[in-house]
Amino acid sequence: MSDDPLSLPIFLRLSGHPVLVAGAGRIAARRLERLLGAGARVTVIAPEATAAIRALAEAQRLDWQAREARTDDVAGYRLLFATTDDPAVNAALADAARAAGVWVQRADAAGESDFLVPATVTRDTLQVAISSDGRAPTLTRILGARLESWLPRAYGDLAALAGEFREAVRTRLPRAHRGPFWTRVLDGPIAETVLAGRTDQARVELARAIDAAAAGEATPATGEVYLVGAGPGDPDLLTFRALRLMQRADVVLHDSLIQPALLDLVNREAERIHVGKRAARHTLAQERINELMVRLARDGHRVLRLKGGDPFVFGRGGEEIAELAAAGVPFQIVPGVTAANGCAAYAGIPLTHRDYAQSVVFVTGHLKAGALDLSWPELARAGQTVVFFMGLKSLPVICEALMTHGLAADWPAALVIDGTTAHQRLIAGTLDDLPARAAAETITGPTLLIVGEVVRLNATLGWFHPDGEPGA
């Protein structure tokens, strides 16, 4: 750890203030974008300029003087950005600026600058700045890019909404009550309503909350359910929205197929309840799960219902939200990468392909009373891919039925086991021999059956090899 003092992070209000930029290259162009966004009156002095800077000058958004910068140019400005290619010129301009009481930023020498320009992430009026005090600018840029992807754009709407009601809260609530009130708003259901894209509804709810707080009314506990698709297994396939809600939850109801690595990303303080159903092993009946979600939400909890794949693709998500809607419980739905898409992609098997399959069909392979009541003539067709979910136990029945209804015995088929995870395996074969191949293996993880000519493409397109060895 360095013993040198750190810079003081400050946000400057530059609207209407004069700023000088010496140089008109790539670095200057980056500075100009932010200076103009801050409303500064910018003068650029340089004999040549990039096309972008010329366009800004032609649009009269800045004053460009096509000549070399001189030391007597610096007086009268609030800030100087020295971005020329000549360190000696930058140093001379900096000395003259300091003598005139102007603060200096040198693009070629962070250590010789009076201030630094941090990496920033902007969401409307919300700005997040990152600095390494000039020691690791590339690291600040990398972290800025990551925050750019992690921070939902709706946080700008949330900041704007808070600003809209700031004066009302200041005038109507005692000082001691304002902080707790804003905490409830900005980390509660109203904020979540904004982040879900329902700003107008949030505005109404915030106005009501202010009225209630001003009247001294207790705020009732209000909860919500997040129905989130966790994808087929690889945590990298989570959506940003899914990850954000996973980290906000108070209680988590999760299925058996949720990988431990996914649960590790959930709020560590959240209560975890396993409600999984797998084959004939049911931890909780579906009706009990529905009742539990309603009860927890009514108790004021943020309930995460975490489901493998996508909640609306053989995930019974429709049944669960129907129960929530009937009970008047607020909920959000976050789609996930389906097992079909994820497993096929990681196995190198395109679900559609111009030469082999012009359509794809998703089917449940779950047996009912030992039989599958499916439209076999519609499934046993060339030119399409058929994906069977939960089809391991019924694999012999499926293969036999497809051959009976017209597909050849050598029609390609494959089982993807533990798809997208470090344990992924592929058993490829034909309708005739795949059941025997599968029976010869020990299979404990979730499986997906893919039937169609596209299965052949795995031999050349298979790219994901968790064990480091190419091949099935």
Side-chain angles (χ1 to χ4, degrees):
M1 181 176 178
S2 173
D3 293 330
D4 295 336
L6 293 174
S7 301
L8 176 67
I10 293 177
F11 287 87
L12 294 177
R13 299 185 187 276
L14 290 176
S15 180
H17 291 286
V19 175
L20 175 61
V21 178
R26 179 176 53 83
I27 295 176
R30 291 208 307 266
R31 299 289 184 262
L32 287 170
E33 181 180 350
R34 294 171 65 175
L35 287 169
L36 294 175
R41 290 191 293 112
V42 180
T43 299
V44 176
I45 302 179
E48 298 293 335
T50 66
I53 294 176
R54 288 174 180 269
L56 290 171
E58 291 171 1
Q60 299 185 334
R61 296 190 61 197
L62 55 80
D63 175 28
W64 173 39
Q65 299 178 23
R67 59 177 178 81
E68 297 287 351
R70 303 185 299 265
T71 55
D72 59 359
D73 287 324
V74 299
Y77 290 96
R78 179 62 60 91
L79 301 175
L80 164 66
F81 289 84
T83 69
T84 76
D85 294 331
D86 190 336
V89 171
N90 289 339
L93 291 172
D95 289 342
R98 291 191 182 99
V102 179
W103 284 56
V104 178
Q105 199 270 328
R106 285 182 57 179
D108 62 328
E112 301 298 323
S113 299
D114 299 321
F115 65 94
L116 303 170
V117 180
T120 59
V121 178
T122 302
R123 299 289 184 264
D124 200 277
T125 59
L126 179 67
Q127 295 187 76
V128 180
I130 308 165
S131 172
S132 63
D133 227 32
R135 291 170 172 80
T138 300
L139 178 60
T140 62
R141 177 181 57 79
I142 292 171
L143 291 177
R146 290 184 180 176
L147 275 177
E148 188 72 50
S149 63
W150 291 339
L151 197 63
R153 298 204 171 272
Y155 270 112
D157 298 330
L158 183 58
L161 183 67
E164 182 180 335
F165 285 87
R166 185 169 181 265
E167 184 62 19
V169 171
R170 189 188 69 80
T171 57
R172 299 188 63 190
L173 300 187
R175 179 185 295 272
H177 295 179
R178 294 173 203 163
F181 174 82
W182 280 122
T183 298
R184 291 195 302 272
V185 169
L186 298 177
D187 192 31
I190 292 176
E192 203 53 52
T193 300
V194 175
L195 297 178
R198 305 192 300 273
T199 305
D200 290 341
Q201 178 185 338
R203 184 175 288 107
V204 173
E205 293 174 0
L206 180 50
R208 289 174 180 165
I210 294 173
D211 290 340
E217 298 175 7
T219 303
T222 56
E224 187 174 13
V225 174
Y226 311 141
L227 183 60
V228 173
D234 186 347
D236 284 349
L237 296 180
L238 284 170
T239 65
F240 293 133
R241 189 181 192 86
L243 183 59
R244 177 174 60 80
L245 294 179
M246 288 166 64
Q247 294 174 346
R248 285 179 56 82
D250 304 317
V251 182
V252 182
L253 310 183
H254 64 89
D255 287 342
S256 299
L257 299 182
I258 299 298
Q259 297 289 322
L262 286 164
L263 284 177
D264 287 343
L265 298 175
V266 172
N267 175 14
R268 294 189 181 278
E269 302 301 318
E271 178 185 1
R272 289 163 167 78
I273 303 175
H274 177 224
V275 296
K277 298 185 291 295
R278 203 167 185 176
R281 304 190 304 275
H282 290 201
T283 302
L284 280 183
Q286 186 63 51
E287 294 75 14
R288 290 284 308 282
I289 295 173
N290 298 345
E291 293 169 2
L292 183 59
M293 286 192 297
V294 170
R295 178 173 60 78
L296 289 169
R298 283 177 171 170
D299 287 343
H301 295 292
R302 292 178 290 205
V303 183
L304 173 68
R305 178 68 174 104
L306 195 60
K307 304 176 77 70
D310 181 274
F312 281 5
V313 180
F314 303 119
R316 304 189 74 169
E319 299 174 40
E320 295 185 356
I321 64 168
E323 191 77 17
L324 297 173
V329 172
F331 61 86
Q332 294 185 44
I333 304 163
V334 182
V337 176
T338 70
N341 291 97
C343 295
Y346 274 54
I349 301 175
L351 292 179
T352 62
H353 190 285
R354 185 172 58 179
D355 297 329
Y356 301 104
Q358 292 73 52
S359 63
V360 59
V361 181
F362 294 170
V363 186
T364 177
H366 184 61
L367 289 168
K368 290 184 179 180
L372 277 175
D373 184 16
L374 298 174
S375 179
W376 295 109
E378 298 295 321
L379 299 178
R381 289 181 172 180
Q384 70 178 5
T385 304
V386 184
V387 180
F388 290 87
F389 289 67
M390 302 167 286
L392 180 61
K393 288 187 65 175
S394 56
L395 179 61
V397 175
I398 292 171
C399 291
E400 182 64 31
L402 290 174
M403 288 188 290
T404 298
H405 288 84
L407 290 182
D410 63 354
W411 196 252
L415 278 176
V416 184
I417 306 159
D418 288 315
T420 78
T421 74
H423 307 291
Q424 176 175 305
R425 288 189 292 151
L426 179 76
I427 304 176
T430 66
L431 293 177
D432 183 51
D433 66 14
L434 186 60
R437 288 173 180 261
E441 301 282 344
T442 301
I443 301 174
T444 57
T447 60
L448 194 82
L449 172 62
I450 305 176
V451 178
E453 290 187 289
V454 291
V455 169
R456 294 194 179 101
L457 297 174
N458 164 263
T460 53
L461 302 184
W463 61 275
F464 182 64
H465 308 294
D467 57 4
E469 295 294 331

